[in-house]
Amino acid sequence: MIQANVPWVESPFFEEELEKKNLSAEQKKLVQDYHNDGYVVISGLVPESLIDRTREDVETKAFNPDFEIKTHRDHSRIQDFWMVSDASKELAIFPKILDMLELLYGREPVPFQTLNFRVGSQQRAHSDTIHFSSLPARFMCGVWVALEDITEENGPVFYHPGSHRLPEYDFTQIKETAHDTSYDDYKDYEDFIEKIVQVNNFPKRKFLAKKGDVLIWSSNIIHGGSPVTKEGSTRYSQVTHYFFKDCYYYTPMLSNMVTKELYLRTSLVNIKTGEKVEQTYNGKKLNYISTGNNLFILNDRLKPVPKSLKFLGKVF
Ligand SMILES: O=C(O)CCC(=O)C(=O)O
Ligand SMILES: [Fe+2]
């Protein structure tokens, strides 16, 4: 039987794959929804006590200037709070969430980053693939947990069902100067994605969640944060980003996607184990060479890498 080298839930042969699995009616509905829409919402998965403990930690520590924290934070969000908060870490590795992700992707999830929000991000539409991509593709997802009720007014996450089926856009499809882009060009990416949403006429949904509700979204679904319309309102939440085992992990935004010089995320830490994440291509370690700037060219066909090429870097 022909199989595709993508997560089974995003496979073009999804129906066939589904038939091979022995799933309950409830699991079947969940994976079908995820396949069709690119996201699912689940209530009652996480105990209220864990939600409340996480929220309390975020309120009393993450945004308390007296609480010293090494990880990056600004007025609206803090990155990798799991490193200093047991509750945040427990939520990121909550077994029922990990089980759900394993069901959807058929591989062990690797939680690698948390973001905790105090207020709405008001972030423009984007796909997470531009920041977090994998080889093979699409082995990444986001899990967003409401730590309080989310309303129309406090900047709910929005998303466009079906947009996960689009190509994974990077600058090669967007700009003639794709060989020479950086984060300074991010606005051009956002303008492009907004127009893509318009011309495809995707529906728009908002995650108007009850405290404790969980939203799982696939790497390529277009999403963002709605405007905050009630001044001063909070939007306590935690999002954890997951890769899946046995991939290479890279950031297209920092890569040269024309010459395929990939910016590999070589220092990822698995939140569950605290260990550095091993990178392989479906379990196989590939040769790659460094061009000196933390950029890597996957280069498995040349074995061993000729010395001269190591210095040429960009030539092939
Ligand atoms: O929470 C939000 O408003 C958006 C977060 C987001 O885009 C992400 O975590 O990938
Ligand atoms: Fe995102």
Side-chain angles (χ1 to χ4, degrees), residues 7-15 18 28-40 104 162 164-165 218:
W8 79 276
V9 76
E10 300 210 43
S11 168
F13 317 121
F14 169 72
E15 296 300 336
L18 185 58
K28 213 168 161 180
K29 164 101 175 63
L30 185 104
V31 294
Q32 274 168 329
D33 286 350
Y34 198 76
H35 172 77
N36 291 330
D37 300 331
Y39 77 95
V40 284
L104 289 168
H164 63 302
R165 273 185 245 108
S218 55

PDB file of all heavy atoms in Angstrom, residues 7-15 18 28-40 104 162 164-165 218:
ATOM      1  N   PRO A   7       2.297  13.315   8.536  1.00  0.00           N
ATOM      2  CA  PRO A   7       1.479  12.730   9.609  1.00  0.00           C
ATOM      3  C   PRO A   7       0.232  12.058   9.022  1.00  0.00           C
ATOM      4  O   PRO A   7      -0.384  12.603   8.099  1.00  0.00           O
ATOM      5  CB  PRO A   7       1.100  13.956  10.445  1.00  0.00           C
ATOM      6  CG  PRO A   7       2.156  14.968  10.168  1.00  0.00           C
ATOM      7  CD  PRO A   7       2.568  14.750   8.752  1.00  0.00           C
ATOM      8  N   TRP A   8      -0.126  10.910   9.560  1.00  0.00           N
ATOM      9  CA  TRP A   8      -1.232  10.147   8.947  1.00  0.00           C
ATOM     10  C   TRP A   8      -2.523  10.959   8.908  1.00  0.00           C
ATOM     11  O   TRP A   8      -3.324  10.838   7.984  1.00  0.00           O
ATOM     12  CB  TRP A   8      -1.436   8.808   9.667  1.00  0.00           C
ATOM     13  CG  TRP A   8      -2.190   8.900  10.973  1.00  0.00           C
ATOM     14  CD1 TRP A   8      -1.662   9.199  12.190  1.00  0.00           C
ATOM     15  CD2 TRP A   8      -3.591   8.708  11.171  1.00  0.00           C
ATOM     16  NE1 TRP A   8      -2.646   9.207  13.149  1.00  0.00           N
ATOM     17  CE2 TRP A   8      -3.844   8.909  12.546  1.00  0.00           C
ATOM     18  CE3 TRP A   8      -4.666   8.390  10.336  1.00  0.00           C
ATOM     19  CZ2 TRP A   8      -5.127   8.802  13.100  1.00  0.00           C
ATOM     20  CZ3 TRP A   8      -5.936   8.278  10.894  1.00  0.00           C
ATOM     21  CH2 TRP A   8      -6.160   8.494  12.252  1.00  0.00           C
ATOM     22  N   VAL A   9      -2.697  11.841   9.900  1.00  0.00           N
ATOM     23  CA  VAL A   9      -3.946  12.619   9.965  1.00  0.00           C
ATOM     24  C   VAL A   9      -4.002  13.673   8.852  1.00  0.00           C
ATOM     25  O   VAL A   9      -5.071  14.196   8.530  1.00  0.00           O
ATOM     26  CB  VAL A   9      -4.108  13.244  11.371  1.00  0.00           C
ATOM     27  CG1 VAL A   9      -3.206  14.450  11.583  1.00  0.00           C
ATOM     28  CG2 VAL A   9      -5.554  13.576  11.685  1.00  0.00           C
ATOM     29  N   GLU A  10      -2.862  13.970   8.252  1.00  0.00           N
ATOM     30  CA  GLU A  10      -2.834  14.928   7.143  1.00  0.00           C
ATOM     31  C   GLU A  10      -2.526  14.231   5.817  1.00  0.00           C
ATOM     32  O   GLU A  10      -2.250  14.880   4.811  1.00  0.00           O
ATOM     33  CB  GLU A  10      -1.794  16.019   7.413  1.00  0.00           C
ATOM     34  CG  GLU A  10      -2.086  16.804   8.681  1.00  0.00           C
ATOM     35  CD  GLU A  10      -1.604  18.245   8.631  1.00  0.00           C
ATOM     36  OE1 GLU A  10      -1.790  18.901   7.591  1.00  0.00           O
ATOM     37  OE2 GLU A  10      -1.048  18.691   9.647  1.00  0.00           O
ATOM     38  N   SER A  11      -2.561  12.910   5.826  1.00  0.00           N
ATOM     39  CA  SER A  11      -2.217  12.163   4.619  1.00  0.00           C
ATOM     40  C   SER A  11      -3.300  12.329   3.551  1.00  0.00           C
ATOM     41  O   SER A  11      -4.489  12.371   3.850  1.00  0.00           O
ATOM     42  CB  SER A  11      -2.086  10.678   4.977  1.00  0.00           C
ATOM     43  OG  SER A  11      -2.031   9.910   3.800  1.00  0.00           O
ATOM     44  N   PRO A  12      -2.897  12.384   2.266  1.00  0.00           N
ATOM     45  CA  PRO A  12      -3.903  12.381   1.191  1.00  0.00           C
ATOM     46  C   PRO A  12      -4.686  11.067   1.176  1.00  0.00           C
ATOM     47  O   PRO A  12      -5.755  10.980   0.582  1.00  0.00           O
ATOM     48  CB  PRO A  12      -3.067  12.557  -0.080  1.00  0.00           C
ATOM     49  CG  PRO A  12      -1.649  12.300   0.304  1.00  0.00           C
ATOM     50  CD  PRO A  12      -1.528  12.524   1.782  1.00  0.00           C
ATOM     51  N   PHE A  13      -4.137  10.037   1.847  1.00  0.00           N
ATOM     52  CA  PHE A  13      -4.817   8.738   1.903  1.00  0.00           C
ATOM     53  C   PHE A  13      -5.412   8.505   3.294  1.00  0.00           C
ATOM     54  O   PHE A  13      -5.457   7.376   3.796  1.00  0.00           O
ATOM     55  CB  PHE A  13      -3.821   7.627   1.543  1.00  0.00           C
ATOM     56  CG  PHE A  13      -2.948   7.974   0.376  1.00  0.00           C
ATOM     57  CD1 PHE A  13      -1.564   8.008   0.492  1.00  0.00           C
ATOM     58  CD2 PHE A  13      -3.521   8.319  -0.851  1.00  0.00           C
ATOM     59  CE1 PHE A  13      -0.760   8.357  -0.586  1.00  0.00           C
ATOM     60  CE2 PHE A  13      -2.721   8.673  -1.941  1.00  0.00           C
ATOM     61  CZ  PHE A  13      -1.338   8.691  -1.801  1.00  0.00           C
ATOM     62  N   PHE A  14      -5.848   9.607   3.905  1.00  0.00           N
ATOM     63  CA  PHE A  14      -6.329   9.556   5.287  1.00  0.00           C
ATOM     64  C   PHE A  14      -7.407   8.491   5.504  1.00  0.00           C
ATOM     65  O   PHE A  14      -7.367   7.736   6.474  1.00  0.00           O
ATOM     66  CB  PHE A  14      -6.852  10.942   5.685  1.00  0.00           C
ATOM     67  CG  PHE A  14      -7.598  10.960   6.984  1.00  0.00           C
ATOM     68  CD1 PHE A  14      -6.916  10.818   8.194  1.00  0.00           C
ATOM     69  CD2 PHE A  14      -8.982  11.087   7.021  1.00  0.00           C
ATOM     70  CE1 PHE A  14      -7.597  10.821   9.404  1.00  0.00           C
ATOM     71  CE2 PHE A  14      -9.664  11.088   8.222  1.00  0.00           C
ATOM     72  CZ  PHE A  14      -8.974  10.955   9.414  1.00  0.00           C
ATOM     73  N   GLU A  15      -8.375   8.407   4.596  1.00  0.00           N
ATOM     74  CA  GLU A  15      -9.499   7.480   4.808  1.00  0.00           C
ATOM     75  C   GLU A  15      -8.997   6.037   4.911  1.00  0.00           C
ATOM     76  O   GLU A  15      -9.450   5.273   5.763  1.00  0.00           O
ATOM     77  CB  GLU A  15     -10.535   7.602   3.683  1.00  0.00           C
ATOM     78  CG  GLU A  15     -11.232   8.966   3.603  1.00  0.00           C
ATOM     79  CD  GLU A  15     -12.002   9.339   4.883  1.00  0.00           C
ATOM     80  OE1 GLU A  15     -12.394   8.416   5.640  1.00  0.00           O
ATOM     81  OE2 GLU A  15     -12.175  10.556   5.130  1.00  0.00           O
ATOM     82  N   LEU A  18      -7.251   5.549   8.175  1.00  0.00           N
ATOM     83  CA  LEU A  18      -8.232   5.484   9.266  1.00  0.00           C
ATOM     84  C   LEU A  18      -8.823   4.084   9.390  1.00  0.00           C
ATOM     85  O   LEU A  18      -9.014   3.566  10.497  1.00  0.00           O
ATOM     86  CB  LEU A  18      -9.338   6.523   9.009  1.00  0.00           C
ATOM     87  CG  LEU A  18     -10.407   6.701  10.081  1.00  0.00           C
ATOM     88  CD1 LEU A  18      -9.794   7.076  11.418  1.00  0.00           C
ATOM     89  CD2 LEU A  18     -11.414   7.775   9.654  1.00  0.00           C
ATOM     90  N   LYS A  28     -12.553   8.469  16.510  1.00  0.00           N
ATOM     91  CA  LYS A  28     -12.717   8.584  15.064  1.00  0.00           C
ATOM     92  C   LYS A  28     -13.223   9.978  14.684  1.00  0.00           C
ATOM     93  O   LYS A  28     -12.717  10.613  13.763  1.00  0.00           O
ATOM     94  CB  LYS A  28     -13.733   7.524  14.615  1.00  0.00           C
ATOM     95  CG  LYS A  28     -13.460   6.991  13.257  1.00  0.00           C
ATOM     96  CD  LYS A  28     -14.284   5.774  12.978  1.00  0.00           C
ATOM     97  CE  LYS A  28     -14.308   5.580  11.481  1.00  0.00           C
ATOM     98  NZ  LYS A  28     -15.058   4.444  11.052  1.00  0.00           N
ATOM     99  N   LYS A  29     -14.197  10.443  15.457  1.00  0.00           N
ATOM    100  CA  LYS A  29     -14.764  11.783  15.191  1.00  0.00           C
ATOM    101  C   LYS A  29     -13.677  12.844  15.366  1.00  0.00           C
ATOM    102  O   LYS A  29     -13.553  13.777  14.561  1.00  0.00           O
ATOM    103  CB  LYS A  29     -15.939  11.993  16.165  1.00  0.00           C
ATOM    104  CG  LYS A  29     -16.428  13.408  16.347  1.00  0.00           C
ATOM    105  CD  LYS A  29     -17.686  13.654  15.539  1.00  0.00           C
ATOM    106  CE  LYS A  29     -18.325  15.012  15.747  1.00  0.00           C
ATOM    107  NZ  LYS A  29     -17.534  16.167  15.364  1.00  0.00           N
ATOM    108  N   LEU A  30     -12.879  12.677  16.420  1.00  0.00           N
ATOM    109  CA  LEU A  30     -11.826  13.652  16.702  1.00  0.00           C
ATOM    110  C   LEU A  30     -10.810  13.732  15.555  1.00  0.00           C
ATOM    111  O   LEU A  30     -10.486  14.819  15.067  1.00  0.00           O
ATOM    112  CB  LEU A  30     -11.133  13.239  17.997  1.00  0.00           C
ATOM    113  CG  LEU A  30     -10.093  14.200  18.507  1.00  0.00           C
ATOM    114  CD1 LEU A  30     -10.661  14.987  19.690  1.00  0.00           C
ATOM    115  CD2 LEU A  30      -8.822  13.487  18.929  1.00  0.00           C
ATOM    116  N   VAL A  31     -10.328  12.581  15.094  1.00  0.00           N
ATOM    117  CA  VAL A  31      -9.302  12.611  14.041  1.00  0.00           C
ATOM    118  C   VAL A  31      -9.904  13.078  12.709  1.00  0.00           C
ATOM    119  O   VAL A  31      -9.239  13.775  11.939  1.00  0.00           O
ATOM    120  CB  VAL A  31      -8.557  11.254  13.867  1.00  0.00           C
ATOM    121  CG1 VAL A  31      -7.746  10.922  15.094  1.00  0.00           C
ATOM    122  CG2 VAL A  31      -9.482  10.124  13.519  1.00  0.00           C
ATOM    123  N   GLN A  32     -11.172  12.736  12.481  1.00  0.00           N
ATOM    124  CA  GLN A  32     -11.807  13.206  11.244  1.00  0.00           C
ATOM    125  C   GLN A  32     -11.955  14.729  11.256  1.00  0.00           C
ATOM    126  O   GLN A  32     -11.709  15.397  10.257  1.00  0.00           O
ATOM    127  CB  GLN A  32     -13.181  12.545  11.062  1.00  0.00           C
ATOM    128  CG  GLN A  32     -13.051  11.211  10.374  1.00  0.00           C
ATOM    129  CD  GLN A  32     -14.318  10.384  10.423  1.00  0.00           C
ATOM    130  OE1 GLN A  32     -15.096  10.470  11.373  1.00  0.00           O
ATOM    131  NE2 GLN A  32     -14.517   9.558   9.414  1.00  0.00           N
ATOM    132  N   ASP A  33     -12.368  15.264  12.400  1.00  0.00           N
ATOM    133  CA  ASP A  33     -12.493  16.726  12.513  1.00  0.00           C
ATOM    134  C   ASP A  33     -11.138  17.400  12.305  1.00  0.00           C
ATOM    135  O   ASP A  33     -11.025  18.414  11.623  1.00  0.00           O
ATOM    136  CB  ASP A  33     -13.042  17.126  13.898  1.00  0.00           C
ATOM    137  CG  ASP A  33     -14.525  16.835  14.022  1.00  0.00           C
ATOM    138  OD1 ASP A  33     -15.156  16.501  12.989  1.00  0.00           O
ATOM    139  OD2 ASP A  33     -15.059  16.929  15.151  1.00  0.00           O
ATOM    140  N   TYR A  34     -10.124  16.825  12.908  1.00  0.00           N
ATOM    141  CA  TYR A  34      -8.776  17.413  12.794  1.00  0.00           C
ATOM    142  C   TYR A  34      -8.295  17.354  11.337  1.00  0.00           C
ATOM    143  O   TYR A  34      -7.714  18.306  10.818  1.00  0.00           O
ATOM    144  CB  TYR A  34      -7.815  16.653  13.707  1.00  0.00           C
ATOM    145  CG  TYR A  34      -6.524  17.389  14.008  1.00  0.00           C
ATOM    146  CD1 TYR A  34      -6.491  18.449  14.902  1.00  0.00           C
ATOM    147  CD2 TYR A  34      -5.326  17.000  13.411  1.00  0.00           C
ATOM    148  CE1 TYR A  34      -5.302  19.113  15.197  1.00  0.00           C
ATOM    149  CE2 TYR A  34      -4.134  17.657  13.707  1.00  0.00           C
ATOM    150  CZ  TYR A  34      -4.130  18.708  14.602  1.00  0.00           C
ATOM    151  OH  TYR A  34      -2.947  19.363  14.886  1.00  0.00           O
ATOM    152  N   HIS A  35      -8.566  16.231  10.702  1.00  0.00           N
ATOM    153  CA  HIS A  35      -8.190  16.085   9.289  1.00  0.00           C
ATOM    154  C   HIS A  35      -8.896  17.133   8.420  1.00  0.00           C
ATOM    155  O   HIS A  35      -8.284  17.776   7.570  1.00  0.00           O
ATOM    156  CB  HIS A  35      -8.551  14.675   8.810  1.00  0.00           C
ATOM    157  CG  HIS A  35      -8.371  14.486   7.336  1.00  0.00           C
ATOM    158  ND1 HIS A  35      -7.129  14.304   6.756  1.00  0.00           N
ATOM    159  CD2 HIS A  35      -9.273  14.478   6.305  1.00  0.00           C
ATOM    160  CE1 HIS A  35      -7.274  14.188   5.448  1.00  0.00           C
ATOM    161  NE2 HIS A  35      -8.559  14.291   5.147  1.00  0.00           N
ATOM    162  N   ASN A  36     -10.195  17.298   8.663  1.00  0.00           N
ATOM    163  CA  ASN A  36     -10.987  18.199   7.815  1.00  0.00           C
ATOM    164  C   ASN A  36     -10.731  19.670   8.104  1.00  0.00           C
ATOM    165  O   ASN A  36     -10.625  20.480   7.195  1.00  0.00           O
ATOM    166  CB  ASN A  36     -12.488  17.935   8.010  1.00  0.00           C
ATOM    167  CG  ASN A  36     -12.892  16.588   7.438  1.00  0.00           C
ATOM    168  OD1 ASN A  36     -12.290  16.113   6.467  1.00  0.00           O
ATOM    169  ND2 ASN A  36     -13.878  15.947   8.051  1.00  0.00           N
ATOM    170  N   ASP A  37     -10.679  20.017   9.388  1.00  0.00           N
ATOM    171  CA  ASP A  37     -10.654  21.438   9.766  1.00  0.00           C
ATOM    172  C   ASP A  37      -9.266  21.944  10.153  1.00  0.00           C
ATOM    173  O   ASP A  37      -9.030  23.149  10.174  1.00  0.00           O
ATOM    174  CB  ASP A  37     -11.593  21.673  10.966  1.00  0.00           C
ATOM    175  CG  ASP A  37     -13.026  21.296  10.638  1.00  0.00           C
ATOM    176  OD1 ASP A  37     -13.403  21.387   9.450  1.00  0.00           O
ATOM    177  OD2 ASP A  37     -13.772  20.913  11.560  1.00  0.00           O
ATOM    178  N   GLY A  38      -8.389  21.039  10.547  1.00  0.00           N
ATOM    179  CA  GLY A  38      -7.047  21.454  10.969  1.00  0.00           C
ATOM    180  C   GLY A  38      -6.967  21.821  12.436  1.00  0.00           C
ATOM    181  O   GLY A  38      -5.926  22.297  12.899  1.00  0.00           O
ATOM    182  N   TYR A  39      -8.051  21.601  13.176  1.00  0.00           N
ATOM    183  CA  TYR A  39      -8.027  21.885  14.621  1.00  0.00           C
ATOM    184  C   TYR A  39      -9.118  21.083  15.310  1.00  0.00           C
ATOM    185  O   TYR A  39     -10.051  20.606  14.648  1.00  0.00           O
ATOM    186  CB  TYR A  39      -8.261  23.389  14.885  1.00  0.00           C
ATOM    187  CG  TYR A  39      -9.711  23.780  14.741  1.00  0.00           C
ATOM    188  CD1 TYR A  39     -10.549  23.839  15.860  1.00  0.00           C
ATOM    189  CD2 TYR A  39     -10.276  24.020  13.490  1.00  0.00           C
ATOM    190  CE1 TYR A  39     -11.895  24.150  15.733  1.00  0.00           C
ATOM    191  CE2 TYR A  39     -11.617  24.336  13.355  1.00  0.00           C
ATOM    192  CZ  TYR A  39     -12.419  24.397  14.482  1.00  0.00           C
ATOM    193  OH  TYR A  39     -13.755  24.685  14.354  1.00  0.00           O
ATOM    194  N   VAL A  40      -9.020  20.931  16.620  1.00  0.00           N
ATOM    195  CA  VAL A  40     -10.133  20.419  17.435  1.00  0.00           C
ATOM    196  C   VAL A  40     -10.156  21.169  18.765  1.00  0.00           C
ATOM    197  O   VAL A  40      -9.120  21.666  19.222  1.00  0.00           O
ATOM    198  CB  VAL A  40     -10.037  18.898  17.751  1.00  0.00           C
ATOM    199  CG1 VAL A  40     -10.410  18.049  16.551  1.00  0.00           C
ATOM    200  CG2 VAL A  40      -8.677  18.508  18.287  1.00  0.00           C
ATOM    201  N   LEU A 104      -3.313  11.651  17.200  1.00  0.00           N
ATOM    202  CA  LEU A 104      -3.442  12.436  15.970  1.00  0.00           C
ATOM    203  C   LEU A 104      -2.245  12.253  15.034  1.00  0.00           C
ATOM    204  O   LEU A 104      -2.406  12.236  13.820  1.00  0.00           O
ATOM    205  CB  LEU A 104      -3.588  13.926  16.303  1.00  0.00           C
ATOM    206  CG  LEU A 104      -4.928  14.337  16.937  1.00  0.00           C
ATOM    207  CD1 LEU A 104      -4.844  15.751  17.495  1.00  0.00           C
ATOM    208  CD2 LEU A 104      -6.062  14.230  15.918  1.00  0.00           C
ATOM    209  N   GLY A 162      -9.669  24.655   7.495  1.00  0.00           N
ATOM    210  CA  GLY A 162      -9.378  24.247   6.114  1.00  0.00           C
ATOM    211  C   GLY A 162      -8.066  24.813   5.588  1.00  0.00           C
ATOM    212  O   GLY A 162      -7.490  24.271   4.644  1.00  0.00           O
ATOM    213  N   HIS A 164      -5.234  24.679   6.758  1.00  0.00           N
ATOM    214  CA  HIS A 164      -4.071  23.798   6.977  1.00  0.00           C
ATOM    215  C   HIS A 164      -3.699  23.038   5.717  1.00  0.00           C
ATOM    216  O   HIS A 164      -2.580  22.553   5.588  1.00  0.00           O
ATOM    217  CB  HIS A 164      -4.353  22.814   8.124  1.00  0.00           C
ATOM    218  CG  HIS A 164      -5.485  21.872   7.865  1.00  0.00           C
ATOM    219  ND1 HIS A 164      -6.760  22.306   7.575  1.00  0.00           N
ATOM    220  CD2 HIS A 164      -5.539  20.522   7.825  1.00  0.00           C
ATOM    221  CE1 HIS A 164      -7.539  21.253   7.372  1.00  0.00           C
ATOM    222  NE2 HIS A 164      -6.829  20.160   7.522  1.00  0.00           N
ATOM    223  N   ARG A 165      -4.655  22.942   4.770  1.00  0.00           N
ATOM    224  CA  ARG A 165      -4.372  22.187   3.539  1.00  0.00           C
ATOM    225  C   ARG A 165      -3.606  22.992   2.499  1.00  0.00           C
ATOM    226  O   ARG A 165      -3.208  22.475   1.454  1.00  0.00           O
ATOM    227  CB  ARG A 165      -5.689  21.672   2.928  1.00  0.00           C
ATOM    228  CG  ARG A 165      -6.075  20.334   3.521  1.00  0.00           C
ATOM    229  CD  ARG A 165      -7.293  19.716   2.878  1.00  0.00           C
ATOM    230  NE  ARG A 165      -8.351  19.637   3.864  1.00  0.00           N
ATOM    231  CZ  ARG A 165      -9.425  20.382   3.878  1.00  0.00           C
ATOM    232  NH1 ARG A 165      -9.646  21.254   2.923  1.00  0.00           N
ATOM    233  NH2 ARG A 165     -10.310  20.254   4.846  1.00  0.00           N
ATOM    234  N   SER A 218      -3.159  22.372  13.967  1.00  0.00           N
ATOM    235  CA  SER A 218      -2.079  21.779  13.187  1.00  0.00           C
ATOM    236  C   SER A 218      -1.118  22.862  12.710  1.00  0.00           C
ATOM    237  O   SER A 218      -1.496  24.034  12.591  1.00  0.00           O
ATOM    238  CB  SER A 218      -2.651  20.991  12.012  1.00  0.00           C
ATOM    239  OG  SER A 218      -3.480  21.822  11.257  1.00  0.00           O
TER     240      SER A 218
END
